[in-house]
Structures are given as C-alpha cells and as structure tokens.
Amino acid sequence: MASLFRELSLGHSKRDSIPPQLKPPPLSIMLSKPTITTTDIGSPLGQLSDSDLRSTAYEIFVAVFRTSSGKPLTYIPNSNSDSPTNHSTHSPNSPALQSSLTYAAASKMKKALGLKSPGSGSKKIPGSGQGKIRRGLTVGELMRAQMRVSETVDSRIRRALLRIAAGQVGRRIESIVLPLELLQQLKLLDFTDKQEYEMWQKRTMKVLEAGLLLHPHVPLDKSNPTSQRLQQIIHGAMDRPIETGKNNESMQVLRSAVMSLASRSDGSLSEICHWADGIPLNLRLYEMLLQACFDVNDETSIIDEIDELMEHIKKTWTILGMNQMLHNLCFTWVLFHRFVATGELDLLDAADGQLAEVAKDAKTTKDPQCSKILSSTLSSILGWAEKRLLAYHDTFDRGNAETMQGIVSLGVLAAKVLIEDISNEYRRKRKSEVDVARTRIETYIRSSLRTAFAQRMEKADSSRRASKNQPNPLPILAILAKDVGELAVNEKQVFSPIPKRWHPFSAGVAVATLHACYGNEIKQFISSIVELTPDTVQVLRAADKLEKDLVQIAVEDSVDSDDGGKAIIREMPPYEAEVAIANLVKGWIKARLDRLKEWVDRNLQQEVWNPQANQEGYTPSAVEVLRIIDETLDAYFQLPIPMHPALLPDLMAGLDRCLQYYATKAKSGCGSRNTYVPNMPALTRCTAGSKFAWKKKDKLPNTQKRNSQVVTMNGDNSYGVPQLCVRINTLHRIRSELDVLEKRIITHLRNSESAHAEDFTNGLAKKFELTPAACIEGVQQLSEAVAYKIIFHDLSHVLWDGLYVGEPSSSRIEPFTQELERNLLIISNTIHERVRTRIVTDIMRASFDGFLFVLLAGGPSRAFTLQDSQIIEDDFNSLKDLFWANGDGLPADLIDKFSTTVRSILPLLKTDTESLVERYRRVTLETYGSSARSKLPLPPTSGQWNPTDPNSLLRVLCYRNDEAASKFLKKNYNLPKKL
C-alpha cells in the first residue's frame, strides 16, 4: 500500500540513520517520522493534498451520516436547522445526529487492540485543552473536531446537503456524485470571500478529476470523448471559475460528463455512482477517516468513542467501494503508521493484532486487485521492519528489546502473508518445504550479525593501528577473536531469546553466522601464511578458543533438537591449524589446473585437425596435454608436505576434469547421428490437396542449414571426414595413455614417506574417472557422425537423388557402392586400427538405414513392382559384399546382425499385393482392435521398420506400382490411383 497510500514508504524517514544504541525514552525519535505530507513523496493523486483529501472525506462522512438509515433522501424543512432529514433519524434533534456520545471506560475495540484511553482515561474534547470534559458531545461534533474542520465549514456542508436533499428527493446518497452536487448548491455567498470560494471550487474539481479520470473505479479508455471533455472543463476551471447555476450551460455540460463517467459499472446492476471508489483514491479518503480515531491531544491514543465512530465510518463503504478486508488492511496501515510516527509500543501491538485479521482475510480473498493492494501494503510494512531487523544490533539493546520483539512479530507475520497467501511460487511448492517464519528469522540474525562483525572488524583494525608502536602488539585477528566472543555472549543473553518463538535454535544460527564470518577472515589469513611465526601461532590459538566457545553455545542451544545440534555444527567447519598447509597445497593445485585449462582452450582453438599436418594420426595438442599432466604429477610428489596421499584425490579430480574438458571440446560441434538423418516424411502417392500430401524434405546436402551444430561446418574443413577421423584418433590416444599415467602414480606413492597401505588399496584416489567415459562417448559420437555424414550427406547425390529414382532397373546401387568404397579407403588410411572396425561397422549400419529409407520413405519419385524385388535384393547383397570384402572386411556374423531389419523387409517387396493387403488388415486389427473393422486407421510413422508394423506394410503398398494397391489405397485412404 506504500504506492497506493501515496507511496507512504516509512523507511525513508530522515531519522533512518539510527544511533548504535536505542534507549526506551528516545524510541520515538528513532522510529518517528513527521506527519506525511505531499511534499514528502510524489502523489499519484495529482495535486490533491492531505488537506484536500481530509475535506473530501469529511464531506462524504457527513453526507452518509445524515442518510445512515439507507432510506432515500426526504426533504423536511425546519426553521431551526438546515439539516436534510431521513424521516425521524435526520431531524436536528434525532439520535443519529445530535445524541450525546456514550462510551464505556474502555471500548470493546480498544480492549481488543490492547490500547489505553487518552490521557489515562480522562475525557477531553479534542483540541480543547486539558481541562475540558466531553459532555453531551455528538458523533458529528466529535468527527468535526477530530478532522479539524471548522464550524463554519461544517455548517456550509450541512446547508449544501440540505439543498441537495431538497432537490434530490427519493434518491440515495450513493446514487449522486457529491462533489458535483456541492458545486451546484454552494455559491459565492456561502463563503467568506471570493478567494476561498475559488479555492474550494478548484479543490472540488480536482476531486472529480481524481475520482473519474485519474483513478476511476472502472478502467477508462484514454480516447473516451466524455473523459476528454471533462478533462478540458477541469483544466479550464483551474484558470477561470465556472458558473454553477442550475440552468447554466457550462454546468449542464459538466453534469452530463460527470454523470456519464460516474454511471459506468463493472457489470453489476446498481444505481451507485462511482466517483470515489477507485484505487488509490478510496484508500486515501478512508485513511483520512480512520486517522480521526486518534485523539488530537494525544497522538498515541485512540479515542474512547471509537466503537461508535467506527460504526459510522464504515457506512462510507458503499461510496468508497470498501469492504471488511480493505478496512482491516487500512486500519492496520494507520496503526502501523502512527506507531512509526510516535514510537508508542501499544500501537505496535495493536498493528500486529490487526495484521493477524488481515492474514485471515488473505487466505480467503480471490480478488486480484485486493491481492495487489495487500501485497503493496505488506511489502511496505515488511520493508520498514526489515530495515531495523537486518541490522538489529544497531537499533536495539537490553533496554528496548521489547520493541524488537514487536517489530519481529510484525515483520514475520507480514512476510508469511506475502509468501504463503500471495506468492504463486509458494503455492507451487508443498507447504512443508517452506517455513517462512524460520527462514525470515535466520535472515535477520545472519544479516545483523554480519553487519556487527564488520563493525568489530573495523574496531579491531583501529586498535591494531593505535598499538602498532607498542612492543608486541596483538595481531588484528587475535583482537577480533576476543571481540567476536563478547558479541556472541551478548547475542545469547540479550537477543537470542526474542526470536525463539519462531526459531527455537536462534542462538545456534547466530554463533554459526559469527563462526562463518570469522572463518572467512582466518581462511584469508591462513592462505597468506608462508611460514609459521609467533604471530601466526597467536592468531591460530585465539581462533581455536573462539571456535570452542561458539561451538559450546551452539550445542547448548540445540540440545533439544532432533539431531542434537548436528545441523548447526555442520555449518561450523573447524579452523584447525593443520589445514593451513593443505590449503596452500590446494591453492597450488588450483593454479596448475587453471593454467592447464587455459592451455587446453588456447591450443584447441588453434588446432588443425588435418591428417596431412598430423603424421601420427592424432594431434600434437593431445601429446602436449599428456606431457603437462605427467610433469604436474612429478612436481606434486616433490612438494615438501606430509600429506601427498590425502590431497592426491583433489589433484587427480582436477586433472581428470581437464582431460574430460579436452575430450568434450574435441568432439564439440561435430554433430551426431541425428544431425544427418532426415526426419521421416509423410506417406506418398498423394495429390497436393490430400491430407496425406507429400511434403518433400529438403535435399540432404542442405541438411546443414537446418542444424545450428552443423552450420559451423560450412566453409570450415575442420569437420570433414578426414578431420573427424583425426579427432577419433586423438581421443583414442588419450584413452590408451591413461593406464600409463595411473601406473606412474602408483610408483610415486610407493616412494612417498607419508603413504600407508590403505593408500594403495584405495584405487579411486589414483584413477581417472571422468576421462575414460568422455573418450569412449566421444569416439562413439564421432564414429556415428562420420558414418551418417558419409551416407546421408556426402553420398546423398548417389543415394537419395539417384538410387531407384524413376525406373529401378536403370538406377541401381552400383554408383553408390563405388562412392562408398572410395570413402572406406580414405577411412582405412586415416583411422587408427584399434577403432577402424567400429567406424566401418557404423558406416555399414548407416548405409543399411539409408537403403531402407529409399525403399520405404523415398518420396514420390520412386515406385516398385513385384519384378523389381529381385533387383533390390541383388543390390542389397552387393552392398553387404562391399563390407564383407571376400572375408577381408567385417565378419559375416556382424554383417548379418546389422542387416536383420533389411532382410526382414525385403520379402515384403516380393509378396503379391493381395497378400500384403490381407496381412496389413490382419496386423492393423491386431494393433487397433475392433475399432479398425469399420475403417482402417492410418498408422503412425515410427521409423522402426518391421514386417509386422502396420506403417511399414502400408509404406510397401504405397510404393507398390500396380492396380490392386492403387484401389486399396484409394478406397481406404482416398489416395490417388496414379503414382
């Protein structure tokens, strides 16, 4: 509500610079802020001031107060008063207007809020000084005094309302636009002078502008001609007062525009005029009414008559568009705002209690606009509270801890509502996963203690500088350890009991935070140690004592926890001195690994993957990276440390990651099987307009354009087949050298003085874990990329564009096998013999896939007869013979294994159409059940060819060039008879 309540961000007070210690007497100084005025912040309500809003709010209150029975206005002239009446309740002497206020010693509302009576129970007339007692005071008189409205202004408003009632007999007050009617009824003679009249008229026009144009109840289209006309009238009235006579043309135009805009509704059937119920205008007006509940003589107290006064304030809800939830929210804001202005603790407790009501409302509201207001308001309250709580050591001490407890309660409750009832992210999670209060408390504790630690750090540094000329000055970290210990004791005694209501282990969180803060400093100190010195020993001993004190507090605080405090202790890694050397060694390892990774990046960017430039078949960078790793291991075992086996896993893991990184980069951008295999096309034998229409795929040589991975290959010969073979050789070389490196590590360990028997049995500590898998995966990916690139990319002109296109007998497989044989020769001359079989096998598998792709998904340029089946079978045997190579190629059983699918499909090509149709019907029925009896469904394309797969059978029929197939496809799928 900060933005809605004129962005009343209470955290921006000039008094936000809070002194380090806060005693009870100056609490109001610390928390206070002068009454918010329009000069404090930018107003979303144009030029309406607090005074303007207060005057408008009072006019609404009086108007509603005089018609509070809800009956239509009725004019009853009275010689003694200018009061409009509503039957008996509106006569000047009626109870609703003139009855004396009665109140108990303490109202029910004040009792519920825990608030005191003003002046310790004295009954003073607001604004009348200390000596006068309220006797016979009416609600109207009380409200006038509370809102600082003069009797002259009050009398003028009542006269105008009387005239309005006389002219609007039978109409409810909410069905008129009050500012418009007041403009009509009040003339220059009703004011002291012309200047006062003109100022009042301008203010009234601004109210109309705010309620109808700037913040309407129903969103307004800027192009609305009525709104534009009203805007012109209002702007004109700022320069020159308008004539407000009943028959005056300018007034009639104004009335027409105002009533047109005020009569717009959100779809509900109602006679209510919407001129003061748009957000945030309605909230600000209602805030002005609620502020009248505070005693003018004692700004920290709420008047005793609040029950009756509030009852009448709530009667403005219809005009202001308020409801119980918005009332609770506004009242919470007003209480909170007044606490901030005065520092009165009773108001803080009252605001906290009222916020609990808001929390109940938040769980039930479904209105997004209400949720937005709720979110804005609570965010402002939470923001103010957290400015104090995130550095509570600067704000509170032993003397005002009670105030801290109230602010913590307020902040936690606001946060719970914001997160649990408004946040969409929270709703997506299980509530058991998020403990809002506990999380918030931890945030306050950790933030404040970090701030306090930084201040102690600065203090310790000042002490060290002041004593630097003295003999044997204490090192700064020794001074800091002592100060932090004192801070921890004070935290345990003073502050930790406060948040225990929300976090039972708050002291443990506090000392864990201090432990971490000091730990950061001691770690920096340890990382700078070159050799042990007296100062070093002194610092380490002070750190050790501090650590024991902090751990003791944490253990005592967590003794009743489920895990006995283990969770907190886990947050407190020890400061053990022996880790100093280990940290130095780890720094050395990190520097070596960083340099190695930089070297890998630099050299891989410059690497040439050309077989002619790499006579060994693999790249120089692979040889060099292996040499650097070997030298690093030698250097490590020469370090003068007693913990080679203990830190070896760190070094091995880092080297392993570097080699894995090399392997990953070596295969990066080279594509994979899926890069080159085209997507499965739709069925053929179709006209252009059919729902099964053939959508011809881009030619395979242009497949690169569809894959960002392969775009890098265009114009770059780093990704040609020979270059990919060099990459495969390189990864194979690295993989084979890992065993050599691991054997050398064992030799180093045998020569190490600190090695133990278990160091040799723990194989993981001296092995490469990530690199072997990365190399194997890289070889597999690159091998498949080479195979499918050759078949589907490099040879697409003889496979996709040539094989069986047109007449199968004149477009057979020989051109393809000739080109393929030439590529296999290049592969054999380039690839290492240990991985040659794998690549040739992948090429064979890719060629079989391509062959099937031509037969079953070759597009409308291909069709086969029964007689063509023998040609196809002979061609496939030729393709297999190429890889068998008269026994010098791949093993026959391997060829049989990968040709299984093709061999299962070929018999379908020689099966007569009637048998195929019958088999297709039978398989489809088996697959889809009885639903396929009336009409055969179109089976989906899986790409997994199988003689029992409906789609595979249907594709054979689609490519069958005979009359029977055409009739079947035409009848069942409305495919054209001609191919």
Side-chain angles (χ1 to χ4, degrees):
M1 196 173 287
S3 59
L4 300 171
F5 276 154
R6 192 181 285 177
E7 295 184 331
L8 292 178
S9 180
L10 304 180
H12 295 306
S13 168
K14 297 179 181 178
R15 296 190 171 99
D16 274 347
S17 181
I18 301 172
Q21 291 187 336
L22 181 62
K23 303 297 182 182
L27 177 62
S28 60
I29 297 176
M30 183 274 294
L31 297 174
S32 69
K33 174 184 172 88
T35 301
I36 301 297
T37 65
T38 53
T39 59
D40 294 310
I41 34 84
S43 170
L45 301 177
Q47 300 179 11
L48 286 175
S49 65
D50 278 9
S51 176
D52 294 338
L53 292 168
R54 188 180 297 109
S55 298
T56 302
Y58 184 71
E59 291 168 356
I60 294 172
F61 177 84
V62 174
V64 173
F65 183 80
R66 296 172 63 84
T67 59
S68 58
S69 71
K71 299 178 182 178
L73 292 170
T74 304
Y75 173 61
I76 300 177
N78 186 298
S79 59
N80 299 323
S81 171
D82 288 338
S83 300
T85 90
N86 188 359
H87 299 285
S88 63
T89 59
H90 289 169
S91 69
N93 300 317
S94 67
L97 191 63
Q98 297 292 342
S99 62
S100 299
L101 286 166
T102 59
Y103 53 87
S107 72
K108 293 181 180 179
M109 183 177 293
K110 290 185 66 174
K111 187 176 182 181
L113 294 172
L115 295 172
K116 66 180 181 180
S117 300
S120 301
S122 63
K123 299 185 278 285
K124 305 180 183 69
I125 298 175
S128 63
Q130 298 292 324
K132 298 181 180 179
I133 306 299
R134 290 200 286 255
R135 300 184 187 278
L137 198 63
T138 66
V139 173
E141 292 170 338
L142 176 63
M143 193 62 168
R144 178 189 64 76
Q146 287 294 101
M147 296 193 75
R148 301 178 178 87
V149 176
S150 68
E151 292 185 8
T152 301
V153 172
D154 179 66
S155 176
R156 181 166 63 231
I157 294 171
R158 295 179 186 277
R159 284 198 306 275
L161 290 173
L162 176 63
R163 297 167 189 168
I164 292 170
Q168 301 282 352
V169 174
R171 296 191 64 184
R172 299 176 183 274
I173 190 66
E174 61 266 21
S175 66
I176 67 172
V177 180
L178 185 60
L180 178 67
E181 302 303 334
L182 292 176
L183 278 173
Q184 179 86 63
Q185 299 300 335
L186 291 178
K187 309 299 180 185
L188 177 61
L189 295 177
D190 292 304
F191 293 84
T192 305
D193 52 38
K194 181 179 180 181
Q195 181 181 5
E196 183 185 10
Y197 172 66
E198 290 180 355
M199 289 180 61
W200 172 84
Q201 190 183 89
K202 287 180 180 180
R203 190 262 296 174
T204 305
M205 297 297 281
K206 291 176 189 175
V207 171
L208 289 173
E209 180 184 34
L212 297 174
L213 300 179
L214 299 180
H215 308 286
H217 174 71
V218 179
L220 186 64
D221 188 351
K222 292 184 179 179
S223 62
N224 186 304
T226 306
S227 66
Q228 294 175 350
R229 184 164 62 252
L230 178 59
Q231 189 73 69
Q232 292 172 355
I233 295 173
I234 292 173
H235 285 174
M238 295 300 106
D239 300 326
R240 179 181 178 183
I242 65 172
E243 294 294 331
T244 60
K246 182 175 182 180
N247 298 320
N248 186 274
E249 181 180 358
S250 61
M251 189 63 193
Q252 290 177 354
V253 172
L254 174 64
R255 175 176 291 279
S256 175
V258 167
M259 294 308 296
S260 176
L261 294 175
S263 299
R264 296 181 313 117
S265 70
D266 53 6
S268 59
L269 298 177
S270 171
E271 295 182 357
I272 296 175
C273 286
H274 301 284
W275 64 272
D277 51 355
I279 294 172
L281 176 62
N282 60 341
L283 302 178
R284 289 288 284 124
L285 291 170
Y286 197 66
E287 180 191 12
M288 292 298 164
L289 295 174
L290 292 179
Q291 286 178 352
C293 296
F294 286 91
D295 194 282
V296 293
N297 291 323
D298 184 359
E299 62 180 357
T300 67
S301 299
I302 287 180
I303 59 175
D304 289 330
E305 299 85 356
I306 183 174
D307 297 272
E308 190 169 355
L309 189 61
M310 188 67 76
E311 179 184 348
H312 286 85
I313 289 175
K314 287 183 178 181
K315 293 174 182 177
T316 65
W317 284 8
T318 303
I319 293 179
L320 296 180
M322 299 293 291
N323 55 37
Q324 186 64 45
M325 176 193 163
L326 291 176
H327 163 79
N328 290 340
L329 193 60
C330 289
F331 195 36
T332 299
W333 174 262
V334 169
L335 290 169
F336 168 71
H337 184 209
R338 188 58 63 101
F339 158 70
V340 172
T342 64
E344 176 60 43
L345 291 182
D346 285 350
L347 295 176
L348 175 60
D349 294 338
D352 190 34
Q354 190 66 24
L355 185 57
E357 297 300 315
V358 172
K360 296 177 184 177
D361 296 336
K363 294 186 181 301
T364 58
T365 182
K366 304 296 183 183
D367 186 351
Q369 194 171 39
C370 287
S371 295
K372 181 179 178 182
I373 300 167
L374 182 65
S375 176
S376 178
T377 307
L378 298 186
S379 295
S380 180
I381 292 174
L382 180 61
W384 180 91
E386 289 195 338
K387 280 195 173 184
R388 277 77 189 163
L389 297 175
L390 290 172
Y392 59 78
H393 290 84
D394 292 344
T395 308
F396 306 101
D397 57 20
R398 291 178 183 272
N400 58 15
E402 182 182 358
T403 304
M404 177 182 170
Q405 180 154 345
I407 294 177
V408 169
S409 178
L410 198 71
V412 167
L413 186 53
K416 283 175 68 68
V417 176
L418 281 170
I419 296 174
E420 293 182 358
D421 299 316
I422 298 178
S423 170
N424 290 328
E425 180 179 355
Y426 177 84
R427 291 173 182 172
R428 289 194 296 266
K429 297 181 178 180
R430 292 180 300 173
K431 292 187 177 182
S432 59
E433 295 177 358
V434 181
D435 187 335
V436 177
R438 187 166 182 153
T439 301
R440 223 69 186 185
I441 291 297
E442 284 198 16
T443 300
Y444 301 151
I445 293 172
R446 295 186 191 280
S447 173
S448 187
L449 281 167
R450 285 170 187 147
T451 302
F453 178 84
Q455 294 168 349
R456 300 305 192 281
M457 183 77 179
E458 185 177 349
K459 175 185 173 184
D461 189 40
S462 300
S463 299
R464 182 191 61 81
R465 287 197 300 269
S467 61
K468 65 180 180 179
N469 295 326
Q470 299 178 3
N472 302 322
L474 281 173
I476 182 174
L477 287 182
I479 299 173
L480 184 61
K482 180 175 179 295
D483 290 346
V484 170
E486 294 173 353
L487 179 62
V489 172
N490 184 66
E491 180 74 20
K492 174 187 175 183
Q493 295 175 350
V494 177
F495 296 114
S496 292
I498 293 173
K500 270 192 174 293
R501 167 183 163 190
W502 300 276
H503 197 308
F505 312 119
S506 54
V509 173
V511 295
T513 303
L514 289 174
H515 185 278
C517 291
Y518 188 80
N520 292 334
E521 301 302 324
I522 201 68
K523 287 176 183 177
Q524 293 180 23
F525 169 77
I526 290 175
S527 67
S528 66
I529 297 174
V530 178
E531 58 181 355
L532 290 177
T533 65
D535 281 357
T536 301
V537 173
Q538 193 170 19
V539 169
L540 292 175
R541 290 185 64 182
D544 184 62
K545 181 181 184 304
L546 172 63
E547 181 178 36
K548 290 177 180 177
D549 293 341
L550 296 180
V551 170
Q552 181 62 30
I553 294 174
V555 170
E556 292 175 356
D557 187 61
S558 307
V559 67
D560 295 329
S561 65
D562 294 338
D563 63 354
K566 292 180 180 178
I568 291 295
I569 299 302
R570 280 195 295 269
E571 290 189 44
M572 305 170 67
Y575 304 151
E576 296 172 358
E578 57 265 25
V579 302
I581 298 175
N583 286 338
L584 287 172
V585 177
K586 288 178 181 179
W588 178 90
I589 291 174
K590 183 179 183 303
R592 288 295 184 106
L593 294 176
D594 289 345
R595 287 201 299 270
L596 178 57
K597 185 175 181 301
E598 291 173 5
W599 184 94
V600 169
D601 276 327
R602 185 172 61 254
N603 281 267
L604 280 179
Q605 289 174 4
Q606 302 169 357
E607 190 60 83
V608 177
W609 304 93
N610 195 327
Q612 285 73 29
N614 302 287
Q615 297 300 320
E616 299 294 332
Y618 45 82
T619 58
S621 63
V623 177
E624 186 64 15
V625 74
L626 290 169
R627 185 190 63 79
I628 293 174
I629 289 176
D630 193 25
E631 290 182 351
T632 301
L633 287 168
D634 286 341
Y636 171 75
F637 281 100
Q638 291 176 11
L639 291 175
I641 58 173
M643 52 187 70
H644 290 117
L647 297 178
L648 180 60
D650 290 353
L651 177 60
M652 287 298 296
L655 296 176
D656 197 12
R657 285 193 298 270
C658 286
L659 274 179
Q660 180 197 33
Y661 179 71
Y662 182 97
T664 302
K665 295 288 286 186
K667 70 173 183 176
S668 176
C670 296
S672 64
R673 175 187 185 277
N674 293 334
T675 304
Y676 299 100
V677 176
N679 295 328
M680 193 60 58
L683 290 171
T684 60
R685 192 192 278 268
C686 302
T687 59
S690 171
K691 66 178 180 179
F692 305 114
W694 167 265
K695 297 179 180 178
K696 189 174 180 183
K697 200 171 184 66
D698 293 338
K699 288 186 176 181
L700 290 178
N702 296 327
T703 303
Q704 296 170 351
K705 299 177 182 178
R706 304 191 308 275
N707 193 298
S708 60
Q709 259 194 322
V710 190
V711 169
T712 59
M713 303 177 192
N714 296 335
D716 185 356
N717 62 2
S718 297
Y719 300 97
V721 170
Q723 288 75 23
L724 294 178
C725 289
V726 172
R727 293 174 186 265
I728 292 173
N729 288 342
T730 299
L731 294 180
H732 174 71
R733 170 72 178 181
I734 292 175
R735 174 68 184 89
S736 61
E737 285 295 315
L738 294 180
D739 292 337
V740 177
L741 288 172
E742 290 172 355
K743 290 177 181 178
R744 289 180 182 172
I745 292 171
I746 293 176
T747 302
H748 283 304
L749 281 173
R750 294 186 190 281
N751 297 329
S752 173
E753 296 180 1
S754 56
H756 301 286
E758 59 269 19
D759 297 326
F760 299 99
T761 58
N762 183 12
L764 294 179
K766 55 185 180 297
K767 284 188 176 292
F768 293 93
E769 294 295 316
L770 303 175
T771 307
C775 290
I776 293 171
E777 180 185 344
V779 169
Q780 178 181 343
Q781 176 185 325
L782 292 172
S783 176
E784 290 184 349
V786 168
Y788 284 85
K789 173 177 166 51
I790 290 174
I791 301 303
F792 286 93
H793 182 274
D794 296 353
L795 301 185
S796 64
H797 61 288
V798 287
L799 177 67
W800 183 257
D801 295 337
L803 183 60
Y804 304 143
V805 171
E807 184 62 37
S809 61
S810 60
S811 53
R812 298 185 65 175
I813 202 168
E814 185 176 359
F816 173 69
T817 55
Q818 289 174 348
E819 292 286 338
L820 180 56
E821 186 174 13
R822 186 177 62 81
N823 278 270
L824 288 173
L825 184 60
I826 295 174
I827 294 290
S828 298
N829 293 333
T830 306
I831 206 70
H832 191 280
E833 60 181 7
R834 296 289 296 274
V835 289
R836 189 178 301 153
T837 299
R838 177 187 181 87
I839 294 183
V840 174
T841 302
D842 284 337
I843 295 173
M844 177 182 68
R845 184 176 60 170
S847 67
F848 292 170
D849 286 350
F851 189 76
L852 278 176
F853 206 95
V854 167
L855 296 180
L856 299 178
S861 61
R862 293 177 172 88
F864 308 104
T865 65
L866 278 174
Q867 291 73 25
D868 293 330
S869 61
Q870 188 58 49
I871 294 174
I872 295 171
E873 186 172 352
D874 292 343
D875 283 350
F876 182 63
N877 289 332
S878 298
L879 182 58
K880 290 195 295 180
D881 289 343
L882 174 64
F883 291 101
W884 186 59
N886 295 321
D888 294 332
L890 296 176
D893 57 345
L894 189 63
I895 297 174
D896 288 341
K897 173 183 176 182
F898 285 100
S899 65
T900 301
T901 302
V902 182
R903 288 187 286 109
S904 69
I905 293 296
L906 289 180
L908 297 177
L909 302 180
K910 62 175 65 173
T911 304
D912 62 272
T913 302
E914 290 74 12
S915 299
L916 277 177
V917 169
E918 183 58 31
R919 181 186 294 190
Y920 174 69
R921 289 181 183 278
R922 185 177 67 255
V923 171
T924 303
L925 285 172
E926 291 174 355
T927 303
Y928 294 97
S930 58
S931 61
R933 293 185 181 276
S934 57
K935 183 178 179 181
L936 292 174
L938 183 69
T941 300
S942 66
Q944 303 297 319
W945 311 125
N946 191 293
T948 61
D949 170 45
N951 184 264
S952 300
L953 291 168
L954 183 59
R955 285 184 176 271
V956 173
L957 286 170
C958 284
Y959 287 98
R960 176 61 58 85
N961 190 8
D962 65 16
E963 184 67 21
S966 298
K967 289 182 177 180
F968 171 77
L969 294 171
K970 175 66 176 177
K971 177 181 178 181
N972 289 278
Y973 300 111
N974 197 28
L975 299 184
K977 291 185 177 181
K978 293 184 179 181
L979 282 165

